């Protein structure tokens, strides 16, 4: 089941990060979504599967905000501003290939960073190298 607080925290960090990146470069990137996903994974707990799921959810929610804005600004400026896709578009031969590449590029990094965020929290709690502590943490048993 999705816990929405970590997702909201991740989306807020993604928005702040992407605002800074856009202000400095004039382009939208994947940096905001990836950092937000990592924070969502960190916030949700020490289980990498939960971290990956919540990282994906933070990326999807952030994408629902970012994509329409990026498309609108692309049409207004008449230049693509979603980095690095403007360089990748000529490499694909069909719309299906491009769509698949974009969907994978927008989802897989968020899942990975969410899982890494959870692993980072596990490491911070000292459970990274001690499987017995990780099992107790997953069961909800405190020491």
């Amino acid at each position: 089941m999705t816990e929405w607080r970590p997702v909201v925290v991740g989306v807020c960090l993604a928005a702040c990060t992407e605002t800074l990146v856009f202000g400095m470069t004039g382009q939208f990137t994947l940096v905001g979504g990836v950092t937000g996903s990592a924070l969502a994974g960190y916030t949700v707990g020490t289980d990498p599967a939960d971290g990956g799921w919540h990282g994906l959810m933070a990326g999807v929610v952030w994408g629902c905000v970012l994509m329409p804005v990026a498309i609108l600004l692309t049409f207004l400026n008449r230049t693509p501003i979603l980095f690095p896709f403007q360089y990748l578009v000529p490499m694909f031969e069909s719309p299906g290939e491009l769509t698949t590449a974009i969907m994978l590029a927008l989802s897989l990094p968020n899942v990975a960073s969410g899982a890494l965020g959870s692993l980072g929290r596990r490491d911070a709690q000292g459970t990274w190298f001690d499987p017995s502590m990780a099992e107790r943490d997953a069961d909800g048993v405190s020491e």
Side-chain angles (χ1 to χ4, degrees), residues 11-91:
V11 170
C12 288
L13 178 63
C16 293
T17 304
E18 204 58 50
T19 300
L20 288 173
V21 170
F22 183 75
M24 292 187 302
T25 65
Q27 291 185 322
F28 290 113
T29 64
L30 302 178
V31 172
V34 171
T35 57
S37 294
L39 182 61
Y42 184 87
T43 306
V44 77
T46 58
D47 182 21
D50 279 344
W53 172 252
H54 286 82
L56 177 63
M57 292 304 297
V60 167
V61 172
W62 173 237
C64 289
V65 174
L66 178 65
M67 285 300 118
V69 171
I71 291 169
L72 177 66
L73 289 175
T74 297
F75 284 127
L76 292 176
N77 294 337
R78 297 190 186 270
T79 58
I81 59 170
L82 186 59
F83 180 82
F85 296 112
Q86 70 264 33
Y87 303 112
L88 299 177
V89 170
M91 296 173 49

Side-chain angles (χ1 to χ4, degrees), residues 114-133:
L116 288 174
S118 289
L119 289 174
R121 182 169 182 166
R122 177 181 279 187
D123 189 32
Q125 291 182 351
T127 59
W128 182 275
F129 296 109
D130 188 359
S132 64
M133 289 179 70

